[in-house]
Amino acid sequence: MSATLVRPAPERVAERAREIVRIIEADPEFARLRTACAKYDEDWQSFTGYALVDGFDVEADTVPLFPEALRAMAIKSAVYEMTDGDEQAAEIPVSVPVDEMIHALVAQFTVLSRVQERTGIRFVHATDREQIGGWDHGDYTHQVYRAAWGPLNERFWIGKAETVKRKAVVVAKYEPLGIFEGGRRFAPGFATAD
């Protein structure tokens, strides 16, 4: 992160983020966007994202997780607007499970592009700017979220220390199966029947 990173006051961002969510939810393709994210379940491969959520179930957890991703994206968009397009400032830290749902959201590229064209809102998501696992209770993202929508869903917003702890447990459970580095490397022969 840049040493000169400056973000607007959380209350100002919260006001615009709430407005962005209302605008997106009013878009004629919002229902399709939400539904498409839920149907993305068969393609989700998340070894260290959703696995951090105790008892994660893609069918049960998609509905409550989608609004968390939309709210995080609205915060990013608000910061982006208020900082004259500063992508670094806009790439706020989010919880790992919320980031996974953001990936499902941005995977709806065509629909999301049309929504952006109609609304003039730019969603911001750049892997090279992300702070994976960098979200924590009380940080800038949390302050904006709380000012905009009140308490967050603690099932999906897992703090920094707990994320590190759960990730270590998950990775240790995968290794005996031949899944290494949190799913970035697999043992030879892993996908074959022999």
Side-chain angles (χ1 to χ4, degrees), residues 10-69:
E11 297 75 22
R12 286 186 53 224
V13 175
E15 184 179 332
R16 178 61 180 147
R18 273 193 313 271
E19 184 180 5
I20 287 171
V21 168
R22 281 193 299 270
I23 292 167
I24 299 302
E25 288 176 341
D27 187 87
E29 287 192 276
F30 175 73
R32 180 177 175 202
L33 186 64
R34 182 181 55 220
T35 302
C37 286
K39 288 187 181 213
Y40 191 54
D41 61 348
E42 290 182 21
D43 291 328
W44 287 355
Q45 290 95 21
S46 171
F47 290 93
T48 56
Y50 296 133
L52 302 183
V53 177
D54 187 37
F56 182 82
D57 180 331
V58 73
E59 290 195 26
D61 285 314
T62 298
V63 171
L65 186 53
F66 177 78
E68 301 304 316

Side-chain angles (χ1 to χ4, degrees), residues 77-96:
S77 295
V79 172
Y80 188 73
E81 288 177 7
M82 293 177 172
T83 58
D84 295 322
D86 185 339
E87 195 175 344
Q88 188 78 34
E91 197 57 67
I92 57 163
V94 299
S95 177
V96 176

Side-chain angles (χ1 to χ4, degrees), residues 4 23 39 41 43 60 64 66 70 79 97 106 114-115 124 128 130 134 139 149 154 157 159 161 173 188 192:
T4 59
I23 292 167
K39 288 187 181 213
D41 61 348
D43 291 328
F66 177 78
L70 183 61
V79 172
V106 298
R114 286 194 301 263
V115 169
V124 180
D128 64 335
E130 283 183 298
D139 73 0
W149 299 286
E154 292 187 13
W157 288 91
K173 287 180 178 181
T192 59

